[in-house]
Amino acid sequence: MASKFGLAGGIPERRVRPIWDAVDSRQYKAALKLCTALLAKHPTSPYVLALKGLILERMGKPDEALSVCLNAKEQLYSDNIFHFDDLTLSTLQIVFQRLERLDLATSCYEYACTKYPNNLELMMGLFNCYVREYSYVKQQQTAIKMYKTVGEERFLLWAICSIQLQVHFSIGGEKLLPLAEALLKKHITSHSLHEPEALALYISILEQQSKYDAALEVLSGDLGSLMGREEDKLRLQGRLLARACNYTAASEIYQKILESCPDDWESFLHYLGCLLEHDVNLPKSRTSEHPSSLPVDSALALKTSLSDELVESRLASALSFVQKLQVNDTSDCVRGPHLASIEIERQRCRSGNPTDRKFIEALINYFHRFGHLSCAASDVEIYLHMLSSDETTELLDTISRSFDASSLSVKGLGLAITTFKFLTPSSLFNNPELQHIAKGMVEAFYKNLPLSRDLDPQESMHGEELLCMASSILVQLFWRTRNLGYLIEAILVLEFGLTVRKYVTLEVKNILLESASHHILPQMLNSPLLQQTADLVIEFVQFKERLQHSMQYLSVRSDSIILSLKQKAESLDEVESILENVNHGARLVELSNEDNVKRFTFNEDLQARPWWTPTTSVNFLSEPFDEGSTPACFRAKACEHKSTEKDDSKIKYAERKALLPRLVYLSMHGCASSLRETQLNGSGLDTDATEMKPLLLKYARSIGYSIDDALSVILGMSSGKKSVKDFTPDIVSWMSFAVFINAWNLWSNESVVPRADESSPSSWQIVDSLVKICVEEQLIDANRILTSPGNNIPVLVQMITEPISWHLVVIQSCVRSMAPQGKKKKKGGPSERPNVPRLQAIQRSVQCMIDTLRSVQSWLSDQMRPEEQALDILLSYLQGGNEDGPGQISCILEENSARHNPELGERIAQSLETWSSAGVVRRIVGAEKELLVELKKICDSKLKLLASVSASLSSALH
C-alpha cells in the first residue's frame, strides 16, 4: 500500500500532515485553505478530495462535503487509479458515516475488494462497513473469506459471532448453529483454539443447541485450560449442569465457588435453586436491577417438586453452610453469606415452616453488622416488603434502640440513614408523622455537617442523601394535602444542600446523555425556552456515533429538527434551509419504518427517576392521592408504568415525531402552487400527493386511529360534537394532523375532507375552529401559574410552537406564491389569476390566528405579577404557624444557616451565610417570569408575521 512508503493516499505525508494537524486542533478554515492549495496540485487525488470533504463536514457544510466525496468516489472508480489506499477509503468512510450515507462507504470498499480480492486490509474495512449496517449475512461471508485467506482464528470467531447475531435477530436463524459448530470443530481439529473467547463462543454454540453434555466434555478437556480463572470455569460448569438438570452435581460446583468467592450472590442463588431442584435467578438485589422493581416472590415462580421434609432438610444444610462462611470471614466487606441467611429464612417461610421470628432476627442481625453501609437498605429492601405493618413497626423499634443516635461519627450517621430509609414506605404514617420524619432527616443532616468539614469541595458530603429523602417526603405531603408550602419546602431543602456544597456544573457525558436525559429533556421541549433547549439537544445529537439504533436517538434527532423549525417558523427561507439540510425529512421517515424500529433499543435508566414520576409521561402528583393505597400496590403501579414505558405507544410517539419534518416540507411544497387556478393538472403535485397520503395514514395510526376515523375526530372536535378533553393526551398531535390534512386537501386531486354541501366547513375552517377551541380550553382550565404546579403552560407552548407554527408555514407558502414569478406568459398561454375564494379563506384563517394569539397574550399579561407581590404569595405558604403544616423545616434551615457554628469549618460556614429561604423563592419567581416573558415573545413574533401577511392578503384581494 502506498501509505507504507512515506505516502498518505498517494500524497507525500509531509504535505498532508499540516492539514491533519489543523483538523485535530479544530482550525478548519486553515485546514481548508491548505487542502485547497494541495488539491490545486493534485486535482484528481481521491485522498485529497476525501480530506476536503471531511473538513467541509466538520465546518457544518454537509451538502458540499457530500458533493466533494462523491467526486472522490468517482475518481476511485476511474481507470486512472492504479492502487487503493486504505487511508483514502477510511477517510471517505468517516465522512459518509457522519453524513449517514453508510451505503456509499460500503460501495467503495466493495469495489476495492473486487479489484484486490485478497487484500486483507480492504476486506477488514468492508467487514466493518457491514457491521455498521447490521448486515449480518455479509459480515459472515466476508469473515469466512478472510479466514480462508489467512487462516487466523480471529476471523473465524468474527464469522461465528455474525452467525450468532443472525440467530438472535433473524427468524429461523437457529438453523445456522450446526454450521457454526462444524466450522469450529474443523478448526479445532487442525489448529485447536488459543483464546478464552474462542472457547466461550464454542460452548455458547453448543449450549444454544442444548448440547450440555458435549459442552461439559469440552470444558473438562484440554481446551478447558484456556479459562484463566478457576472460578469462571466452575461457574460455567455449574450453569451447564443445572441446565442439564443435574442439580446435585451443580450444587456441589456452586458450593465450591462460594467457598472461594463467598460474596458471589448470583452463585448463591443458583446454589439454592439447585438444592431445591429449580434454578433461581431472582432476586438479584445486589448485582442486578434495583430490588424494588422486582416482584417479591419472582425468585420462586417455579414450584419445587420436593417434599416439604426434603426442602426443610436441604434449607437447613444450606443455612449450616452459609453460617460456616460467616465464621470464616469477619470483614465488613463480604455481605453475601449474611444476606444468604435472610434468603434461606424467607424460603423456609414460603415452604410453610413457621419461622417468622428467625426471618426478622436475620434482618436485625444484618442491620447490626452492615447497617452503617450505604447499600444496607437496598440489600434488604425486597425482604422488607414481605413484612406486615406490625412486623415493620417492631423491626424499626428494635433497630432504633440498637444504636446511639446522639453520637457524632460516620458509622453512626450511616446507621441513622439506613433507619430513615427503612421508613420510606411512607403510607404507613399519617401526615404529622411524615413531617416529623422529614424534620428529623434535616436536623440529622445539619448535626452531622462537621463530619464533612475537611472533605474536598468536590466530594459528596456525609449524609447528603438525607436531604433527598426529606425532599421526597415533602413532595408526598404536597400530593396528600395539595398544600403548595410542602413543595416549596422540598425545593428549599435541596437548595440548602447545594448551598452547603457548591458543585461545578454537572457535565453529562457519553452514555449518561442516553440514560439520564429523560430527567430534563421532555420538560425543556415543552417550554418556551427554545434556545436553551436547542443547546441541550445539539449536545445529544452530537453523541450519535454509538447511538444509531437507540430509540432515544431517533426521538431526539427528530426533536432537534422540529426545534429548529419551531425557532425559525416565522421565516420561510430559513425553514426551507433547515429542511434542505436534513434531506427534507426523508431520512427520518426511512429511520422510522417498521423494519428499523424493530431494532431500536430503549436505554433510559428509569430506576433513577423520582417515585412520583416513574416515567416521563406519568406524574402521580397530577392524580388524587389514594388514602387506601398500600406500599405494595403503589410499588406495583410504578413497576407497571415502567414496564409499559417501552411498549408500542412509546414507539408510535417516536415514529410520529419522525414524520413531522417531512410532512411540513410536503405541506409547504404542495400548497404554494395550489393558489393558481390555471396550474396544469398534476404538474409536480401528484408525486407529493402520492407520498403525503401514506405518511398521513401512518401518522393517524400512530395516534391509534385509521385515517377515516381520525378525520371524523377532528371534524367532531372542530364542530363541538366531540369533547377536546377526551383527546387531551395527544391533543397537540391532533391539531398538527388537522393542519397537514388542510395542506393535503389544498392540492390533492381527491376529496380529502368530505363536504355534504356548501355550508359544510372547509379544511381551513376546520383548522381555525380546532385551534381556537383547543387554545381556549387550555386558557379556561388554566389556574394561576405561580400557585399551580403542573399547570397548562407546556401544552400551551406546544400548541403555539408546533401546530400553529406549521399552519403559519403553510400560510406563508401560499402567500409567497402570489408574488410574480419569472417572465410573463406568452400571448395565448395560461394566465396566473389568484384563487380569490382561497385567498379569502386564508385571510379568515390569519384573523383567527391573530385573535387566538391575542387571547393568549392577554392571559399571559394577567399572569404576570410584580416580583415582590409574587414573593409574598409564595412565602405565605411557609408562614401558617400550624404545627401540622409546612413551615417547620424552612424555619430549621433558616435557624441553622443564621447560627455561627465553628464546628462546621470555615468553608461550610461561609457557604451558609448566603442562604435564605426568600432568596430561593425569589429565584422561583424569576424563573416563572422568564417562562412567561419567553412565551409572550413567541406570540409577539407570530403576531408581527400575521400582521404582515394580513396586509399582503388585503392588497391582493383589493
Side-chain angles (χ1 to χ4, degrees):
M1 304 295 287
S3 57
K4 295 181 180 179
F5 299 97
L7 301 177
I11 306 296
E13 189 171 355
R14 60 185 174 81
R15 296 187 179 277
V16 176
R17 175 49 50 194
I19 300 175
W20 277 111
D21 289 342
V23 171
D24 292 340
S25 59
R26 298 175 179 269
Q27 298 177 20
Y28 299 128
K29 289 185 178 179
L32 182 61
K33 184 177 180 181
L34 291 170
C35 189
T36 302
L38 185 60
L39 192 59
K41 297 180 181 179
H42 305 276
T44 61
S45 168
Y47 177 65
V48 181
L49 287 167
L51 190 51
K52 182 179 180 181
L54 184 143
I55 296 168
L56 289 169
E57 193 282 326
R58 298 288 175 88
M59 294 176 72
K61 299 179 179 180
D63 294 336
E64 292 181 46
L66 179 61
S67 176
V68 171
C69 287
L70 288 174
N71 186 8
K73 180 172 176 282
E74 290 178 8
Q75 295 298 329
L76 278 176
Y77 284 32
S78 70
D79 296 333
N80 298 327
I81 301 299
F82 301 104
H83 66 271
F84 274 80
D85 192 317
D86 184 62
L87 185 58
T88 301
L89 291 171
S90 62
T91 305
L92 279 173
Q93 188 274 322
I94 291 171
V95 183
F96 284 139
Q97 183 177 356
R98 291 176 68 93
L99 296 175
E100 298 180 351
R101 292 300 307 271
L102 293 174
D103 56 316
L104 295 176
T106 302
S107 65
C108 288
Y109 273 99
E110 286 174 338
Y111 181 77
C113 286
T114 59
K115 296 278 286 187
Y116 301 94
N118 295 320
N119 187 300
L120 185 62
E121 195 173 25
L122 293 177
M123 283 192 285
M124 290 175 66
L126 179 60
F127 178 85
N128 288 330
C129 286
Y130 290 143
V131 169
R132 294 184 185 94
E133 290 188 330
Y134 300 85
S135 300
Y136 306 130
V137 175
K138 292 182 178 180
Q139 284 177 218
Q140 174 196 335
Q141 294 168 345
T142 307
I144 290 290
K145 185 176 180 181
M146 288 188 286
Y147 174 64
K148 290 180 178 179
T149 301
V150 295
E152 290 185 24
E153 183 178 286
R154 58 171 173 157
F155 298 126
L156 175 63
L157 299 185
W158 291 7
I160 301 302
C161 287
S162 300
I163 289 174
Q164 284 199 313
L165 288 169
Q166 293 175 67
V167 171
H168 186 72
F169 291 106
S170 304
I171 298 175
E174 62 277 358
K175 296 176 182 178
L176 295 171
L177 289 171
L179 170 62
E181 181 185 354
L183 288 170
L184 282 166
K185 279 184 175 179
K186 183 177 180 181
H187 181 81
I188 291 170
T189 301
S190 58
H191 299 87
S192 188
L193 294 177
H194 301 91
E195 299 293 335
E197 293 81 5
L199 175 61
L201 197 58
Y202 185 27
I203 290 176
S204 174
I205 293 294
L206 294 172
E207 191 175 359
Q208 288 179 79
Q209 299 178 84
S210 301
K211 296 182 177 181
Y212 307 120
D213 292 337
L216 285 164
E217 184 178 348
V218 170
L219 196 60
S220 59
D222 294 338
L223 292 177
S225 61
L226 289 174
M227 282 288 181
R229 297 179 69 245
E230 182 65 20
E231 290 81 6
D232 292 338
K233 182 177 178 180
L234 289 173
R235 289 187 184 96
L236 192 50
Q237 280 182 320
R239 188 180 78 214
L240 292 169
L241 287 167
R243 298 198 71 177
C245 297
N246 190 346
Y247 294 118
T248 302
S251 63
E252 292 173 356
I253 292 292
Y254 282 119
Q255 192 163 327
K256 288 181 181 179
I257 296 171
L258 292 169
E259 287 171 349
S260 59
C261 304
D263 212 26
D264 188 341
W265 180 244
E266 187 171 358
S267 289
F268 167 75
L269 290 177
H270 289 308
Y271 163 68
L272 194 59
C274 291
L275 283 180
L276 302 179
E277 298 194 359
H278 60 75
D279 201 8
V280 177
N281 292 311
L282 297 171
K284 296 179 184 177
S285 60
R286 294 170 56 244
T287 59
S288 184
E289 293 187 64
H290 193 278
S292 63
S293 67
L294 305 173
V296 172
D297 295 328
S298 59
L300 286 179
L302 299 175
K303 293 291 184 181
T304 179
S305 60
L306 303 179
S307 65
D308 292 343
E309 293 78 10
L310 191 54
V311 168
E312 176 58 27
S313 172
R314 293 188 177 183
L315 288 175
S317 173
L319 183 60
S320 176
F321 171 63
V322 299
Q323 286 173 344
K324 289 179 182 178
L325 295 178
Q326 294 173 11
V327 172
N328 293 336
D329 190 286
T330 58
S331 71
D332 285 344
C333 298
V334 179
R335 313 191 309 278
H338 302 271
L339 196 59
S341 296
I342 302 175
E343 176 63 21
I344 291 170
E345 294 299 344
R346 183 179 86 94
Q347 301 286 357
R348 297 175 83 174
C349 292
R350 283 179 49 83
S351 63
N353 192 335
T355 56
D356 289 356
R357 293 303 313 165
K358 291 186 178 180
F359 178 56
I360 295 178
E361 288 171 6
L363 286 169
I364 293 173
N365 291 336
Y366 192 81
F367 175 83
H368 286 161
R369 182 69 177 273
F370 302 106
H372 63 285
L373 300 178
S374 61
C375 59
S378 59
D379 281 347
V380 300
E381 182 179 2
I382 195 169
Y383 301 110
L384 295 178
H385 296 160
M386 295 179 59
L387 300 177
S388 65
S389 298
D390 291 340
E391 289 170 335
T392 301
T393 302
E394 178 189 351
L395 177 64
L396 290 173
D397 289 342
T398 305
I399 289 174
S400 299
R401 293 195 302 267
S402 65
F403 68 95
D404 182 10
S406 63
S407 64
L408 196 65
S409 67
V410 174
K411 185 171 183 178
L413 176 60
L415 289 167
I417 291 172
T418 300
T419 304
F420 279 125
K421 286 180 178 178
F422 284 178
L423 297 172
T424 50
S426 49
S427 57
L428 297 172
F429 306 100
N430 58 35
N431 292 355
E433 289 171 334
L434 274 182
Q435 189 168 6
H436 179 73
I437 293 170
K439 184 178 177 182
M441 290 175 175
V442 174
E443 290 175 336
F445 169 77
Y446 184 80
K447 173 191 166 185
N448 287 276
L449 262 182
L451 296 173
S452 303
R453 61 180 296 169
D454 297 324
L455 293 178
D456 184 270
Q458 296 308 312
E459 288 186 78
S460 296
M461 293 179 294
H462 293 300
E464 64 181 19
E465 59 263 55
L466 286 169
L467 297 183
C468 295
M469 291 191 289
S471 181
S472 177
I473 289 176
L474 289 168
V475 171
Q476 180 151 167
L477 283 168
F478 164 73
W479 188 25
R480 290 184 175 195
T481 65
R482 293 296 168 184
N483 189 321
L484 182 61
Y486 287 121
L487 200 58
I488 297 173
E489 279 195 314
I491 298 171
L492 293 176
V493 167
L494 296 176
E495 285 283 349
F496 184 82
L498 290 173
T499 301
V500 174
R501 180 55 47 92
K502 296 184 183 299
Y503 292 99
V504 296
T505 302
L506 178 64
E507 292 188 3
V508 180
K509 296 297 184 183
N510 298 334
I511 201 62
L512 281 178
L513 278 171
E514 177 81 346
S515 61
S517 61
H518 59 92
H519 288 289
I520 187 172
L521 188 56
Q523 292 78 14
M524 291 289 288
L525 289 169
N526 295 337
S527 80
L529 307 176
L530 300 184
Q531 185 55 54
Q532 294 92 322
T533 309
D535 295 339
L536 182 64
V537 171
I538 288 170
E539 184 177 357
F540 191 103
V541 173
Q542 288 174 341
F543 178 59
K544 66 182 182 180
E545 302 296 338
R546 293 161 58 191
L547 303 173
Q548 292 298 318
H549 281 73
S550 151
M551 182 58 73
Q552 284 83 355
Y553 174 55
L554 171 64
S555 183
V556 176
R557 187 174 171 195
S558 304
D559 287 329
S560 69
I561 300 171
I562 294 169
L563 188 58
S564 297
L565 293 173
K566 287 157 69 170
Q567 288 179 285
K568 306 298 183 182
E570 285 80 60
S571 171
L572 203 58
D573 291 337
E574 293 196 64
V575 168
E576 289 177 332
S577 177
I578 292 167
L579 291 171
E580 185 177 353
N581 287 335
V582 294
N583 196 24
H584 304 117
R587 176 62 177 155
L588 277 180
V589 174
E590 180 185 340
L591 281 175
S592 67
N593 68 40
E594 189 174 353
D595 292 336
N596 285 328
V597 166
K598 288 178 181 177
R599 295 203 299 263
F600 286 152
T601 59
F602 290 86
N603 302 320
E604 293 175 340
D605 180 15
L606 297 181
Q607 300 304 328
R609 292 191 64 81
W611 61 265
W612 60 87
T613 170
T615 71
T616 55
S617 57
V618 175
N619 193 320
F620 294 142
L621 302 184
S622 62
E623 306 170 6
F625 175 71
D626 183 2
E627 295 284 352
S629 178
T630 65
C633 293
F634 182 80
R635 208 162 46 246
K637 186 178 180 181
C639 289
E640 181 183 358
H641 283 299
K642 288 179 180 178
S643 65
T644 57
E645 175 73 352
K646 303 172 183 180
D647 64 5
D648 189 58
S649 62
K650 184 86 173 182
I651 294 174
K652 293 299 184 185
Y653 179 61
E655 287 179 349
R656 188 156 68 246
K657 288 198 294 186
L659 297 175
L660 268 172
R662 186 64 178 172
L663 286 169
V664 172
Y665 167 74
L666 292 174
S667 297
M668 61 187 290
H669 183 253
C671 69
S673 300
S674 66
L675 285 176
R676 304 298 176 185
E677 290 181 341
T678 58
Q679 184 78 19
L680 295 177
N681 290 335
S683 59
L685 298 181
D686 286 345
T687 303
D688 291 335
T690 302
E691 183 182 359
M692 190 84 165
K693 183 173 183 178
L695 291 183
L696 287 172
L697 287 169
K698 189 175 181 181
Y699 191 97
R701 284 199 303 270
S702 73
I703 315 178
Y705 290 78
S706 67
I707 186 74
D708 291 335
D709 290 341
L711 283 169
S712 176
V713 168
I714 61 172
L715 284 169
M717 284 194 291
S718 64
S719 63
K721 295 178 181 178
K722 292 182 184 292
S723 173
V724 170
K725 290 184 178 180
D726 293 340
F727 305 92
T728 295
D730 297 310
I731 192 61
V732 175
S733 296
W734 281 111
M735 293 170 69
S736 294
F737 177 72
V739 170
F740 298 137
I741 285 292
N742 174 52
W744 183 31
N745 191 59
L746 292 179
W747 43 272
S748 174
N749 289 329
E750 58 181 298
S751 177
V752 179
V753 179
R755 299 188 69 184
D757 50 53
E758 288 299 321
S759 63
S760 299
S762 67
S763 58
W764 285 99
Q765 291 171 319
I766 291 170
V767 172
D768 296 344
S769 178
L770 187 60
V771 167
K772 182 180 179 182
I773 290 172
C774 290
V775 171
E776 284 181 351
E777 189 87 24
Q778 293 299 314
L779 298 181
I780 292 171
D781 288 348
N783 297 312
R784 283 283 177 186
I785 296 176
L786 186 66
T787 56
S788 304
N791 53 65
N792 297 30
I793 280 283
V795 177
L796 198 58
V797 169
Q798 275 191 288
M799 289 180 174
I800 294 170
T801 58
E802 292 184 31
I804 290 180
S805 289
W806 315 150
H807 192 50
L808 293 187
V809 167
V810 170
I811 290 173
Q812 290 178 80
S813 298
C814 292
V815 172
R816 188 169 68 176
S817 68
M818 296 187 304
Q821 299 178 10
K823 297 180 179 179
K824 293 184 178 181
K825 301 286 183 180
K826 291 183 179 180
K827 187 176 181 179
S831 60
E832 293 187 344
R833 300 187 307 275
N835 187 323
V836 174
R838 191 157 294 168
L839 287 180
Q840 292 172 335
I842 296 173
Q843 189 177 46
R844 288 192 293 269
S845 188
V846 167
Q847 189 58 48
C848 178
M849 297 301 113
I850 290 174
D851 294 341
T852 300
L853 290 173
R854 282 177 177 169
S855 67
V856 174
Q857 277 194 322
S858 174
W859 179 81
L860 289 171
S861 298
D862 188 50
Q863 294 291 321
M864 294 182 182
R865 299 173 181 269
E867 182 178 310
E868 294 303 320
Q869 181 184 357
L871 182 64
D872 291 341
I873 290 173
L874 290 186
L875 288 175
S876 68
Y877 285 90
L878 303 176
Q879 299 169 357
N882 191 332
E883 291 185 1
D884 295 338
Q888 297 182 50
I889 291 177
S890 60
C891 286
I892 293 173
L893 298 177
E894 290 284 359
E895 292 170 2
N896 288 334
S897 63
R899 182 190 309 161
H900 181 69
N901 186 352
E903 295 181 356
L904 298 179
E906 183 178 355
R907 180 174 51 79
I908 294 178
Q910 286 180 348
S911 298
L912 290 179
E913 287 177 0
T914 62
W915 162 263
S916 74
S917 297
V920 175
V921 175
R922 191 180 294 277
R923 291 203 298 274
I924 296 174
V925 170
E928 184 230 39
K929 182 179 180 180
E930 181 184 6
L931 201 71
L932 296 175
V933 167
E934 288 299 320
L935 182 53
K936 193 171 186 300
K937 285 180 182 178
I938 292 172
C939 292
D940 289 342
S941 176
K942 295 189 184 305
L943 283 169
K944 184 178 179 180
L945 169 69
L946 286 166
S948 173
V949 171
S950 180
S952 298
L953 289 169
S954 297
S955 175
L957 288 169
H958 299 91

